[in-house]
Amino acid sequence: MSKERTLSGRIASHPGFAVLCTLAGVALTSFFGWLGAHQSAVINEKTSCISRIDANEKVLRDHSAQFMSSIGDLLNYTVFPPSNKPEDLSKVAGPVIKQGFAISAYAPLPLSLIALKISITVQQASLASMGYANKEAAIASINEAFGKWPSTFDQSMKEFDKQRGQCGK
């Protein structure tokens, strides 16, 4: 019986066929290795971006909580003042002013400006309560500054969400 060689048989028996198959395997393995590494790098970049934004948001929320707590202490003082001594007022007004300045280092600009405005108005109100400034002007300034905090804080939190959405793009 005669052995008939087919085209595929001739190609498979060619000495360069094994080399070609090896090169193709190496090329495919390298490509899929690179693809996997690239995908891992993209995922890691997105994850670290989100983690950084989450950390910034946490710091801002923590400082905001301290700021709001000090404002709560000040409001409590206005209802139940232990005395009319400036020393007692400074114990509750001082932390509000200090926290307002501290939060401005971590907050986006609109929120920083509101925090600083609250600090300044608390200072003005403190001076007014001791007779050194106009009480009506201080009260109007306080109402304006405090009234802007909730919406500005909410906008700042939404900005973090927008930033997270931009990670990996």
Side-chain angles (χ1 to χ4, degrees):
M1 186 159 156
S2 75
K3 233 179 172 185
E4 199 175 297
R5 292 188 79 182
T6 63
L7 180 60
S8 62
R10 280 185 278 160
I11 292 173
S13 65
H14 190 277
F17 181 71
V19 172
L20 184 61
C21 286
T22 302
L23 285 176
V26 168
L28 283 172
T29 302
S30 295
F31 172 74
F32 286 120
W34 171 84
L35 185 61
H38 176 72
Q39 290 299 320
S40 292
V42 168
I43 290 169
N44 285 340
E45 180 184 350
K46 186 173 182 175
T47 302
S48 67
C49 176
I50 290 171
S51 295
R52 182 176 36 80
I53 293 167
D54 287 347
N56 289 344
E57 181 180 359
K58 183 182 181 328
V59 167
L60 181 57
R61 284 184 182 275
D62 290 347
H63 280 276
S64 297
Q66 292 173 8
F67 187 48
M68 291 291 106
S69 177
S70 64
I71 289 172
D73 290 342
L74 179 62
L75 292 176
N76 186 53
Y77 173 85
T78 62
V79 176
F80 305 107
S83 71
N84 286 334
K85 295 179 184 175
E87 299 84 32
D88 289 333
L89 178 59
S90 74
K91 289 177 186 174
V92 291
V96 174
I97 295 168
K98 181 180 176 181
Q99 287 297 324
F101 278 89
I103 202 168
S104 70
Y106 299 98
L109 184 60
L111 193 62
S112 291
L113 293 175
I114 296 298
L116 291 173
K117 178 125 177 138
I118 290 172
S119 293
I120 298 304
T121 58
V122 166
Q123 178 197 29
Q124 290 172 350
S126 298
L127 291 171
S129 73
M130 293 183 283
Y132 297 115
N134 184 315
K135 286 184 181 185
E136 289 78 25
I139 290 170
S141 184
I142 285 174
N143 289 337
E144 178 192 347
F146 279 77
K148 291 181 180 178
W149 175 268
S151 61
T152 308
F153 181 79
D154 184 54
Q155 280 302 115
S156 297
M157 294 301 107
K158 287 179 181 174
E159 187 60 34
F160 285 123
D161 291 337
K162 286 180 191 174
Q163 289 175 7
R164 274 189 281 275
Q166 295 298 316
C167 286
K169 290 187 176 181

